[in-house]
């Protein structure tokens, strides 16, 4: 097993990885920016290294500073968490060429899945269903218009190099397409350094369902169930649950088989997620993208399958067998995760500030993965995620009742936060019925 681990991330995910590392007797090393010096993850690590100013380009995305920290502390491995450098193939290669262990998929898999058009084509060749769309980037606006006419409106305009719900727009007709194409292309060039755009069919009433995969050290790829991720704002997730209330046993079998094929197509190793769109009217699903990293919502899978995904990541990276029997995976119970963000609960606009009160809920089936505590300052430099409230139980109904109590008990004062939104959601009949889709938040607003 790896003996020392540098966590190249911050906040709740750094704290989460450090917790598992220390449980396993692995020396945990944190890196932090000047803005994060007082956050819990820094204090909880065995060692912590300041790597730069608040600007993430000069700290958490500063590969030279992170590698220097690894060298100075004698770290054996680097875990990138999610975001920042987690899906940076060049960084993964650099880590390994420096003689360190990369806790994640290989750089080739990251590269293959990082371009949405290439990923679509690879998945189609592997027999994974893909939505109607372009097989090459739309070279210009005229090409986009021609592709949309062939696919049929409405269409989704997407940045080929995008991710995390960013760089996307919907066009219901040619006039809208002309506006969205220029907007998405400009955004993609600015954010990703790649203005390539793809056009694909847009499904107005659709569910977002993903499958957790794990590429084992022996070369096998296994699927650890599905997660429902349809409660979203601006194409970014707010709530995830497992299993999905929309997925029957027969449909689950098809989902998991397709996800395993997706992983096998790129010789996948370590943790990853195959994201799909599900048309609930036909039970057809289509490949959306593969996230070549640990997901924010991984705890719901951990509860349903009784495993620690970070531990499994570390075992794969160490060349060890998993703690579970890959041929006897059995899901049990239900789990829901709510993302507690520093944003107002109506328009979801960021609201940084000093945390004056922080009281986490406790009780059976309640877990809080938090990045902050009382007295910390939520700055505008990073993602608005404050904590993840994860609730588990024997049934979905039991979980929803526990969730209501936990949300009511979660006290945060100082920064704006979206806890009141979850109070509203948990009383929403559409959500409680399980028959919701990605439009539920907009209908609530």
């Amino acid at each position: 097993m790896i003996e020392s681990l540098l966590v190249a991330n911050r906040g709740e995910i750094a704290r989460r990885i450090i917790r598992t590392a220390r449980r396993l007797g692995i020396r945990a090393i944190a890196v932090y920016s000047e803005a994060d010096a007082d956050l819990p993850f820094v204090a909880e690590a065995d060692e912590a290294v300041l790597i730069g100013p608040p600007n993430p380009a000069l700290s958490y995305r500063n590969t030279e500073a992170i590698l220097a920290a690894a060298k100075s502390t004698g770290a054996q491995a680097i875990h990138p968490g999610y975001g920042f450098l987690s899906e940076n193939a060049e960084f993964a290669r650099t880590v390994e060429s420096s003689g360190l262990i990369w806790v994640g998929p290989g750089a080739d898999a990251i590269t293959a899945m990082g371009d949405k058009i290439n990923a679509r084509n690879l998945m189609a060749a592997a027999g994974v269903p893909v939505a109607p769309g372009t097989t090459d980037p739309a070279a210009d606006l005229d090409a986009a218009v021609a592709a949309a006419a062939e696919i049929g409106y409405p269409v989704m305009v997407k940045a080929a190099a995008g991710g995390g719900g960013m760089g996307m727009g919907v066009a219901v007709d040619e006039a809208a397409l002309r506006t969205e194409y220029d907007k998405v292309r400009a955004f993609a060039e600015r954010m990703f350094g790649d203005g390539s755009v793809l056009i694909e069919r847009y499904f107005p009433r659709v569910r977002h369902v993903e499958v957790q995969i794990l590429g084992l050290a022996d070369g096998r790829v296994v699927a650890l169930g599905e997660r429902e991720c349809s409660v979203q704002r601006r194409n970014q997730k707010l709530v995830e649950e497992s299993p999905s209330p929309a997925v029957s046993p027969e449909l689950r079998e098809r989902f998991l088989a397709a996800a395993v094929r997706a992983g096998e197509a790129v010789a996948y190793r370590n943790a990853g997620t195959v994201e799909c769109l599900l048309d609930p009217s036909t039970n057809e699903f289509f490949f959306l993208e593969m996230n070549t990293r640990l997901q924010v919502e991984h705890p719901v899978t951990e509860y349903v399958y009784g495993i620690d995904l970070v531990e499994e990541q570390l075992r794969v990276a160490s060349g060890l067998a998993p703690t579970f029997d890959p041929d006897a995976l059995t899901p049990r119970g239900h789990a829901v995760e709510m993302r507690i963000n520093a944003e107002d609960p109506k328009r979801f606009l960021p609201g940084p500030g000093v945390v004056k009160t922080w009281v986490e809920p406790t009780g059976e089936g309640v877990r809080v993965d938090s990045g902050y505590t009382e007295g910390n300052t939520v700055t505008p430099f990073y993602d608005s995620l404050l904590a993840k409230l994860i609730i588990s139980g024997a049934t979905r109904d039991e979980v929803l009742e526990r969730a209501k109590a936990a949300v009511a008990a979660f006290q945060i004062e100082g920064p704006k936060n979206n806890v009141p939104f979850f109070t509203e959601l948990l009383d929403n009949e559409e959500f409680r019925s399980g028959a919701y889709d990605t439009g539920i938040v907009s209908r609530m607003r």
Side-chain angles (χ1 to χ4, degrees), residues 35 38-39 342-343 350-359 372-380 386 411-417:
D38 295 330
L39 293 193
E343 59 188 23
V354 177
V355 180
K356 297 176 181 178
T357 300
W358 183 277
V359 180
Y372 296 84
T373 191
E374 199 166 290
N376 292 155
T377 299
V378 180
T379 68
L386 296 173
Q411 299 177 41
I412 304 173
E413 294 180 5
K416 295 177 182 178
N417 65 85

Side-chain angles (χ1 to χ4, degrees), residues 332-355:
R332 291 185 177 87
H334 198 90
V336 170
E337 175 181 293
M338 291 161 278
R339 301 192 189 191
I340 311 300
N341 296 329
E343 59 188 23
D344 77 76
K346 291 293 184 183
R347 295 185 298 164
F348 305 111
L349 298 177
V354 177
V355 180

Side-chain angles (χ1 to χ4, degrees), residues 156 164-166 168-169 208 232-237:
M156 178 73 81
M166 297 189 295
M168 302 166 64
H208 187 150
Q232 304 179 1
R233 53 99 170 97
R234 295 190 295 276
N235 297 313
Q236 295 180 317
K237 305 164 188 172

Side-chain angles (χ1 to χ4, degrees), residues 216-335:
L216 304 178
D218 65 7
R220 285 183 292 174
V221 177
V222 297
L224 298 167
E226 85 285 353
R227 297 185 289 252
E228 175 73 52
C229 307
S230 296
V231 180
Q232 304 179 1
R233 53 99 170 97
R234 295 190 295 276
N235 297 313
Q236 295 180 317
K237 305 164 188 172
L238 288 172
V239 176
E240 300 91 3
E241 60 178 309
S242 184
S244 165
V247 175
S248 65
E250 181 275 331
L251 180 56
R252 178 170 298 112
E253 188 174 322
R254 288 196 284 131
F255 258 121
L256 303 193
V260 168
R261 288 198 300 274
E264 291 174 341
V266 291
Y268 201 85
R269 297 294 174 271
N270 220 279
T273 298
V274 179
E275 304 209 14
C276 299
L277 297 178
L278 170 65
D279 183 344
S281 66
T282 63
N283 269 354
E284 291 181 284
F285 65 88
F286 305 98
F287 173 81
L288 178 62
E289 63 183 0
M290 184 188 288
N291 294 131
T292 50
R293 53 173 166 78
L294 187 68
Q295 291 278 88
V296 178
E297 57 272 26
H298 73 273
V300 295
T301 296
E302 292 184 319
Y303 272 115
V304 171
Y305 281 85
I307 64 172
D308 181 328
L309 271 170
V310 173
E311 178 178 358
E312 302 305 332
Q313 286 191 288
L314 294 169
R315 293 185 70 86
V316 171
S318 301
L320 301 175
T323 61
F324 58 87
D325 181 352
D327 299 316
L329 288 166
T330 304
R332 291 185 177 87
H334 198 90

